[in-house]
Amino acid sequence: MSGARDYQGVAVTSPVTIPYAPRSDKPAHWFIGSALRALLDASGLDKDAIDGLAVSSFSLGSDTTIALTEHFDMSPRWIEWLPTGGASGVMALRRAARAVQDGDANIVACIAGDTAGSASFSNLVRDFSRFSSAAVYPYGAAGPNGVFALITDNYMRRFGAERSDFGRIAVSQRANARGNPNALLGAKPLSIDDYLAAPPIAEPIHLFDCVLPCAGAEAFLVMSDERARALGLRHAHVRGAIERHNAFFEDPVAERGGWAMDRDTLYAQAGLGPDAVDCLQTYDDYPVIVAMQIEDLGFCGKGDAPAFLRAHDLTVEGDFPHNSCGGQLSCGQAGAAGGFLPVVEALRQVTRQPLGRQVPDARIALASGYGMVTYDRCLASGAVLLEGMA
C-alpha cells in the first residue's frame, strides 16, 4: 500500500438509513430497494443517473447485485457484490471511489440491507462459512458469541482488561443513542451496574456485550466532488482509506487486526494523525473489537485500551466521541448493514445530518470495520477518514 493513490475529487453524500425492526416479513430485497428509493429522494436524482451499484447482504438468498439490477429495473455499467459483513461499508466506499476516479461510473449507490425472520439468524450462523458449518457448528459452539468469548477471554488474560472496561463502551454508546429514533435500545438506559449484573451468554460475554439482530438498511452515494457541488448536496471528501484481509493469520487467537498493518498509510494519505480525528465510528459487534480498533488505529498502544477507556469520555459531549449514534450495541445489527453503519454515521456527523445527537464541531471522522468471522477471528478489516466541507 506504500504510495497508494489518493482519493482526490471524490465526494460521499446522502446518508440513508431504513428504520430497523427486530423482526420483518419483508425480504432483504425490500430493504435494499427502499434504501435506493431513499437515496434518490435525498439527492433529487433520477434512477437512470445511478450507473454504479455496490451491495452487501446476507439474506438475499441466491440473488446478488446482478440480480438486483433486474429487480430494480436498472442498467448500471459498474457493479460490486460485497458479502463481507463488518468491513463491507469501507470496502464499498473504496471501490466506488476508484470507479468514479477512473470513469467507470459517475454515481455509485452503495447499499447494505438485510431482513430478520424467525429463523434467519440461526440459519445464517449455521451456514456462514465453511469454517462455521464444518469445524465449529457441529461441535456445539455458540455461534459468534462463542467465537468472541474466546477472543475476549484471550484479550482479558493477555492485557489485564476487566469487564468494567468493556462496560464503559456499552454504557457510553447507550447514552449516545438517546435521541436516535433508529436505535432499538436507545430508550432503555444502561448503567455500569446494569452491565455488570447482566446474565452470562458465553463467558466472559454477557448480555450487553451482544448485539440485537434486526432488519434494516444503510446506504450512501459516491460521486465526483464537482457533481455533488452542482447538485447542492452536503458531502464529505475521502482523505484516506485502507483495507486488509486475513491479517496476522499466524496469531493463535485474534488480538489485533489489519488496521495495525496499514494505519501509517491511512494517516500519510490523509496528511493527518489520530489527534486530528473529531469522532471515531467503529464496528462494534462486541466491545473487545472496539478496544482492538482503538489500539490498532493508533489512539493508544497495543494492550493499552483498558487504561485509555478509563481515562476518556466516549459520549457525544466527551473528549473522545465514539459511535455517536449508539452503534450496533444500541441500534441493533441489521445484518450486513451493520458494516455500513460506521461509514454512514461518520458521514452524518461531518455533514451535520445526525439522526440523533451531533458531535460538536465534527469535521474529521474515522470509520472502521471488521467482518467475516471464522472460529477465532474475523478476516476483513478496513478504515476510512472522511472530512466534511465547511
Side-chain angles (χ1 to χ4, degrees):
M1 298 251 334
S2 177
R5 180 163 52 122
D6 64 25
Y7 294 88
Q8 186 174 0
V10 175
V12 191
T13 184
S14 306
V16 159
T17 299
I18 302 304
Y20 292 6
R23 291 287 183 269
S24 178
D25 59 1
K26 297 180 175 67
H29 306 67
W30 183 90
F31 286 96
I32 296 169
S34 296
L36 176 61
R37 166 49 59 192
L39 287 173
L40 300 178
D41 291 343
S43 63
L45 291 165
D46 292 329
K47 186 172 62 175
D48 290 346
I50 307 295
D51 60 352
L53 180 64
V55 175
S56 181
S57 182
F58 289 127
S59 53
L60 278 175
S62 57
D63 282 349
T64 64
T65 307
I66 188 66
L68 291 176
T69 64
E70 185 170 28
H71 281 286
F72 302 154
D73 288 335
M74 298 177 69
S75 183
R77 58 196 182 100
W78 181 93
I79 62 171
E80 184 68 273
W81 172 237
L82 294 161
T84 48
S88 60
V90 173
M91 292 171 65
L93 176 51
R94 292 187 78 237
R95 285 154 172 70
R98 294 306 189 205
V100 169
Q101 283 186 317
D102 293 339
D104 294 331
N106 292 318
I107 301 176
V108 181
C110 299
I111 307 173
D114 272 301
T115 191
S118 58
S120 57
F121 184 74
S122 60
N123 291 338
L124 174 62
V125 169
R126 182 183 301 111
D127 297 322
F128 190 77
S129 69
R130 177 70 174 172
F131 283 109
S132 62
S133 63
V136 178
Y137 196 86
Y139 296 94
N145 291 328
V147 172
F148 286 95
L150 172 67
I151 294 172
T152 302
D153 180 71
N154 177 73
Y155 186 94
M156 294 173 75
R157 292 173 184 271
R158 179 93 163 79
F159 301 116
E162 301 176 359
R163 282 195 60 229
S164 58
D165 297 321
F166 299 132
R168 294 174 186 273
I169 296 169
V171 170
S172 65
Q173 291 189 196
R174 188 65 60 85
N176 289 345
R178 289 197 307 267
N180 179 0
N182 193 52
L184 294 179
L185 301 176
K188 298 182 178 181
L190 180 67
S191 69
I192 192 65
D193 290 337
D194 295 331
Y195 173 88
L196 292 173
I201 303 299
E203 287 286 5
I205 297 292
H206 286 235
L207 180 62
F208 297 119
D209 295 308
C210 306
V211 293
L212 174 66
C214 63
E218 304 281 349
F220 52 87
L221 292 175
V222 178
M223 62 185 72
S224 69
D225 174 71
E226 181 181 16
R227 190 176 296 268
R229 284 187 280 108
L231 292 169
L233 298 175
R234 283 184 279 183
H235 60 282
H237 287 163
V238 182
R239 291 291 299 270
I242 55 172
E243 69 178 81
R244 176 72 65 165
H245 306 287
N246 198 23
F248 304 113
F249 56 82
E250 69 277 9
D251 290 352
V253 179
E255 58 187 44
R256 52 185 174 165
W259 319 282
M261 300 179 75
D262 299 307
R263 69 185 181 212
D264 289 346
T265 296
L266 175 70
Y267 293 124
Q269 195 174 67
L272 49 80
D275 57 344
V277 174
D278 297 310
C279 61
L280 174 65
Q281 314 293 340
T282 67
Y283 187 74
D284 63 318
D285 51 353
Y286 295 86
V288 69
I289 302 307
V290 172
M292 287 169 54
Q293 286 166 92
I294 289 173
E295 294 168 349
D296 293 352
L297 289 166
F299 294 99
C300 65
K302 175 51 61 180
D304 292 338
F308 183 93
L309 294 167
R310 295 166 198 163
H312 290 278
D313 181 347
L314 278 63
T315 64
V316 167
E317 298 83 7
D319 62 336
F320 191 76
H322 169 259
N323 284 357
S324 47
C325 67
Q328 295 178 95
L329 289 173
S330 289
C331 292
Q333 185 183 64
F340 269 54
L341 183 59
V343 175
V344 170
E345 178 62 14
L347 179 58
R348 289 188 183 281
Q349 287 294 332
V350 299
T351 58
R352 304 294 189 271
Q353 301 176 81
L355 290 180
R357 296 148 70 198
Q358 175 68 53
V359 174
D361 303 319
R363 186 177 65 88
I364 302 286
L366 196 164
S368 57
Y370 191 54
M372 301 314 294
V373 61
T374 54
Y375 54 84
D376 59 358
R377 70 197 65 232
C378 286
L379 298 180
S381 60
V384 60
L385 281 160
L386 296 179
E387 179 179 18
M389 298 296 95

